[in-house]
Amino acid sequence: MKDRERLTCWIHHSMAVTGGYLGVYALLTRADLFGNAQTCNLIYIITGLFGHDFTGVFLRIVGACIFFAGIALTVVLSKKTSCNLQYFSFTVNCITVLALGFLPSDINQVIGLYPFFFATAVQWNSFPGAYGFASSTIFSTNNLRQVANAATEYWITHEERQKQKAIFFAGTIVCYHAGVAFSVLAYRWFGIPSVWLCYVPLLISAVLLTMDRRLIRSPQPVVCK
């Protein structure tokens, strides 16, 4: 069981690398717009209304609906089908990465975020955390908050669970920003097609997911009493 928990943690951290890679790629290619979350998009809907940019408002509402649909789809799949959400999210990411490399640089910036909105929404619900901790692989704010909370609690109480929590969330942050650094360097070298180098962390995740599947299917050892 501990092996499975550890492997789940590795899978989570590997997907955080992909989350960081795609997050900064969206910023670099879509006029500093973040495609992994909806906070800015929803804010710009309101500012667009006050600025009478109704076309922009419409495009952003569509984007919010796409993000909503990605979240809703994972719920439907988990409740109504036997679909493995992690495999599904991995497949969506692979298709998204392939498609992003072909999007022209002059496409409408909001429309250019649509693939990010869907893929990251699916990833958020498909890789929710490890060790019983809820953690996002597509952005860092809550992970940083959790590190601060857990580290402070461990300093006060010396509870081992809080130490484990702080290490887990810190690891997620490190992996996320390793993906950010890789993406920045790749974009400097290759521009728009650099998104295809995201297949490197995705390949690592594929190996880990395969290991996890084999671990689930392997027979449990018989303990003689």
Side-chain angles (χ1 to χ4, degrees):
M1 187 64 179
K2 288 185 177 180
D3 289 342
R4 179 82 196 285
E5 288 182 341
R6 189 179 300 111
L7 188 54
T8 299
C9 176
W10 292 350
I11 292 170
H12 185 83
H13 285 162
S14 72
M15 290 304 298
V17 178
T18 295
Y21 195 105
L22 292 180
V24 76
Y25 180 82
L27 290 170
L28 293 171
T29 59
R30 303 300 163 209
D32 286 332
L33 298 174
F34 191 51
N36 288 19
Q38 284 298 297
T39 302
C40 285
N41 191 52
L42 295 175
I43 287 174
Y44 282 129
I45 290 174
I46 304 302
T47 60
L49 287 172
F50 281 106
H52 304 289
D53 179 17
F54 299 117
T55 299
V57 168
F58 172 76
L59 292 176
R60 291 184 181 281
I61 289 175
V62 172
C65 290
I66 290 172
F67 191 88
F68 185 97
I71 296 290
L73 179 59
T74 60
V75 176
V76 171
L77 291 177
S78 67
K79 300 296 184 182
K80 298 293 186 180
T81 74
S82 59
C83 175
N84 185 304
L85 287 183
Q86 293 190 340
Y87 297 156
F88 176 71
S89 176
F90 175 82
T91 302
V92 168
N93 274 337
C94 287
I95 295 172
T96 299
V97 166
L98 178 63
L100 286 171
F102 292 107
L103 288 183
S105 58
D106 59 350
I107 192 174
N108 179 280
Q109 303 297 351
V110 179
I111 294 176
L113 291 174
Y114 287 174
F116 296 98
F117 288 161
F118 183 76
T120 55
V122 171
Q123 182 175 325
W124 194 5
N125 263 17
S126 301
F127 297 90
Y131 297 128
F133 304 129
S135 169
S136 170
T137 60
I138 62 172
F139 46 77
S140 292
T141 305
N142 186 59
N143 293 324
L144 181 61
R145 181 181 72 89
Q146 294 291 356
V147 171
N149 283 348
T152 305
E153 288 203 32
Y154 177 70
W155 176 64
I156 295 173
T157 66
H158 301 289
E159 183 182 345
E160 285 299 313
R161 178 67 171 169
Q162 295 302 323
K163 178 181 178 180
Q164 181 189 34
K165 182 178 180 180
I167 292 173
F168 168 70
F169 281 99
T172 305
I173 293 173
V174 169
C175 289
Y176 183 91
H177 289 280
V180 169
F182 182 28
S183 185
V184 170
L185 292 174
Y187 182 76
R188 287 182 179 178
W189 294 332
F190 302 110
I192 295 293
S194 66
V195 69
W196 293 330
L197 287 177
C198 189
Y199 284 123
V200 174
L202 283 172
L203 178 60
I204 296 173
S205 296
V207 172
L208 293 173
L209 286 168
T210 301
M211 292 171 60
D212 184 57
R213 186 174 184 178
R214 290 177 178 175
L215 188 61
I216 293 173
R217 291 184 172 183
S218 62
Q220 297 296 319
V222 177
V223 178
C224 298
K225 297 183 179 180

